[in-house]
Amino acid sequence: MLAAIVWDVDGTLAETERDGHRVAFNLAFEAFGLPWCWDERRYGALLRAAGGRERLLHDLATRADAPASAAERRSLAAALHARKNTIYAAKLRSEGIALRGGVAHLIDEARERGLRQAIATTTSRTNLDALLRLHYGPTWQRLFDAVVCGEDVQRKKPDPEAHRQCLRLLSLEVTPSRAVAIEDSPIGAAAAHAAGMPVVLARSHYFADANGEHAVASGPGLDTRRGWVPPPGASGRDGPVTLDDIEAWRESAFPNAP
Ligand code: XBP
Ligand code: MG
């Protein structure tokens, strides 16, 4: 039986990469007097590096106008990253950012049915707090039985460390197929899959063309049952993806799972 839903954050709960992080990175460049700007295309490519600081380091390594020494690049990346996170949290407080369609519905349904829920993200804890405080108030942590963030792991996605840690906290490390991971990106899907978990891939803006590799089902978002591969079973009615849909996808991909 399905025991837990393990949520990714950026791109899955909300379009935070498109509407939050990218914008905040660019404002941080401006605040530092740097003439740099990540457009959508560049940011989409940079998302192959998980972790904002890692993303900056990756970009700095390719820039002729970045500091030449690795130590200077590391300290610039750390300073820019800290500023970006401050800007990101302030932006969320002042402008907000919507949860993606179907997310709140599924969180509520899981809560009503007594299913455990957890977070496995490689974003910073402050970013997660800014987003969930906005939607669930200061006691949002009560919704989750385990929360693993970027600071809690040595290796970020696609490494399975965050998911494995989450499974341990849920006491599901021996039966990872009882927890379904919801992810939006190929690296997130690869990470959860490597931890032995069934993955439901709700593609986000930057990963609209992702194939369903490593996923038991992939589709355009949790707000609709249309466009998913494989299609959800039972009735052909539209509406948000339900827990029954998720359980059916899990069972068809892991027929011998406990
Ligand atoms: C997304 C990430 C993060 C965010 C930025 O993680 O890789 O790096 O882009 O956040 P996930 P930070 O999809 O696992 O939620 O700057 O805090 O890293
Ligand atoms: Mg994600």
Side-chain angles (χ1 to χ4, degrees):
M1 247 180 72
L2 179 62
I5 298 286
V6 176
W7 293 93
D8 169 51
V9 174
D10 291 309
T12 298
L13 295 182
E15 285 285 7
T16 43
E17 298 292 9
R18 182 189 64 193
D19 303 334
H21 292 297
R22 186 183 74 87
V23 182
F25 275 117
N26 286 333
L27 288 169
F29 296 148
E30 208 178 300
F32 275 55
L34 294 162
W36 302 340
C37 181
W38 287 345
D39 61 18
E40 288 245 340
R41 201 186 158 87
R42 176 76 184 138
Y43 195 68
L46 285 168
L47 281 176
R48 280 197 289 270
R53 207 177 48 84
E54 291 80 352
R55 201 166 296 144
L56 282 161
L57 280 171
H58 185 82
D59 187 63
L60 293 183
T62 67
R63 281 187 183 278
D65 56 348
S69 91
E72 276 179 87
R73 286 202 300 273
R74 274 198 301 276
S75 88
L76 178 58
L80 280 169
H81 186 236
R83 179 67 72 93
K84 183 278 286 181
N85 280 354
T86 304
I87 295 170
Y88 176 87
K91 182 173 160 57
L92 259 58
R93 277 194 301 273
S94 63
E95 294 165 31
I97 194 165
L99 292 178
R100 286 185 70 192
V103 166
H105 179 270
L106 198 60
I107 288 179
D108 288 349
E109 196 189 355
R111 184 163 47 173
E112 278 156 23
R113 292 197 13 197
L115 209 72
R116 285 185 287 161
Q117 300 191 74
I119 299 275
T121 175
T122 42
T123 202
S124 311
R125 195 168 291 274
T126 52
N127 298 338
L128 173 66
D129 183 64
L131 179 68
L132 289 182
R133 188 175 278 267
L134 188 64
H135 294 284
Y136 292 101
T139 59
W140 63 264
Q141 298 231 17
R142 287 192 198 148
L143 276 173
F144 301 99
D145 297 281
V147 176
V148 178
C149 296
E151 292 89 339
D152 303 323
V153 295
Q154 301 286 323
R155 291 167 304 276
K156 297 191 172 168
K157 298 174 187 178
D159 193 281
E161 189 181 344
H163 289 97
R164 286 200 178 128
Q165 218 181 101
C166 213
L167 290 166
R168 266 196 304 280
L169 292 167
L170 295 168
S171 303
L172 292 172
E173 66 269 45
V174 184
T175 53
S177 60
R178 295 193 63 206
V180 169
I182 305 191
E183 293 280 342
D184 68 298
S185 70
I187 65 166
H193 174 77
M197 300 167 72
V199 182
V200 168
L201 183 75
R203 294 185 300 265
S204 62
H205 175 76
Y206 286 109
F207 303 105
D209 297 331
N211 62 27
E213 195 182 7
H214 302 312
V216 298
S218 66
L222 297 170
D223 56 328
T224 177
R225 298 176 84 230
R226 304 238 190 265
W228 284 81
V229 178
S235 80
R237 63 155 186 83
D238 198 9
V241 168
T242 65
L243 268 188
D244 285 344
D245 295 332
I246 286 176
E247 174 66 314
W249 280 323
R250 184 190 81 98
E251 275 180 3
S252 63
F254 289 72
N256 302 317

